[in-house]
Amino acid sequence: MDSNLIRLSAPFTLKHTVFNKSRNSYSLPLPATRNSQRLISFKLGSIRNDAAFDEAAFEAERLSLDAKAREAMAEASKRETSSTSTSEDEDDPKAWKWVVRKRIWDLMEARNVAQNPRPVHHRIPNFVGASTAAQKLGVLKEFRVAKCVKVNPDSPQKQVRFLTLSGGRKLLTPQPRLRTGFFSVVESHMLPTQSSMNEACTSVGVAKYGRPIGLDENIKVDLIIIGSVAVDPTTGARLGKGEGFAELEYGMLRYMGAIDDSTPVVTSVHDCQLVDDIPVEKLLIHDVPVDIICTPTQVIYTSTSIPKPQGW
């Protein structure tokens, strides 16, 4: 099984992370479960900003990995929701999440508010008005004063990544599925032209222009932007697409000392992704709540009381 396709479904620890200097790679221990391997490894610096970078090959591999991951998530969704009426559901705290996710994905497709890549099932869904939501996010005080912003690599947050770079801020973004390392840093001075800035807002561009960093990087992140499938505006409870990468990335940043409880977490979604049926009592300790929600029509401060993960 490809380590980049593991669904991260339980709390894990970074305390025993191993750096292999000869291989320039990190290994993270994961809890043994029915559906995951024991160890997940990431090699740093495998993508460099030089003529050897094959954009077509990188994109082809990314699309292939995405397709395999969506298949795995679809299988997990069927497996976990099929036991909702049995006692097995009591042992699986994830089944109800798939019910909410599917309802939102179906709704977005039915109302035709979904945008490419489609269908939006098993993705952080792109949506009509994503750029408008990004513009609302861009005028937030929390964004304007930030010097370093961590933004997820998904399609609906592409404009947020552009606003980060064009505003002279440091962009911290993970490679999709963390396939070439943990995070990459991109700054405007690293981009020679306007077209390269536009390109740097894509996964290929981050791999091409970004500087990979490890867990020992001394960096302070002022604002976190994450994608969502569903979010509750009254509690700040959030659901992602089900792979757990937002939680893994948050845990890494806590481990690095780059963020703390006061670091704002913001998401941008379509208004139809706002829900009121995410039971806070069923959230796991590594689920990341959001402080601010930006939609095409409104900005919501959730005043969430859900504790943020303390790092693993």
Side-chain angles (χ1 to χ4, degrees), residues 105-243:
W105 286 324
D106 288 348
L107 179 65
M108 295 183 75
E109 290 289 351
R111 291 187 179 178
N112 204 32
V113 298
Q115 288 205 317
N116 288 329
R118 296 177 74 173
V120 294
H121 294 75
H122 304 294
R123 305 180 194 268
I124 295 296
N126 200 6
F127 58 90
V128 174
S131 292
T132 302
Q135 293 297 331
K136 290 186 180 295
L137 192 158
V139 298
L140 295 176
K141 178 183 177 181
E142 291 81 358
F143 182 80
R144 288 186 285 108
V145 302
K147 296 179 180 178
C148 178
V149 183
K150 183 267 181 183
V151 188
N152 61 296
D154 300 285
S155 297
Q157 284 73 45
K158 181 179 180 181
Q159 182 65 15
V160 179
R161 296 191 292 276
F162 178 79
L163 293 174
T164 300
L165 288 173
S166 62
R169 299 172 185 85
K170 181 183 296 184
L171 172 66
L172 181 69
T173 190
Q175 278 296 322
R177 328 220 96 77
L178 300 177
R179 56 183 291 241
T180 62
F182 295 125
F183 300 102
S184 289
V185 170
V186 187
E187 298 184 70
S188 57
H189 68 79
M190 302 162 66
L191 308 169
T193 64
Q194 180 64 40
S195 63
S196 63
M197 181 173 292
N198 293 333
E199 187 180 9
C201 300
T202 68
S203 298
V204 171
V206 169
K208 183 177 179 180
Y209 297 107
R211 176 177 65 86
I213 66 172
L215 293 179
D216 56 351
E217 182 84 6
N218 183 16
I219 190 170
K220 180 180 183 298
V221 174
D222 303 303
L223 185 66
I224 296 175
I225 314 296
I226 55 177
S228 302
V229 173
V231 61
D232 188 328
T234 62
T235 66
R238 164 202 172 270
L239 297 182
K241 63 180 179 289
E243 287 187 292

Side-chain angles (χ1 to χ4, degrees), residues 97-105 229 239-242:
K97 293 183 177 181
W98 289 113
V99 175
V100 177
R101 291 181 184 114
K102 184 177 186 303
R103 187 183 78 233
I104 296 300
W105 286 324
V229 173
L239 297 182
K241 63 180 179 289

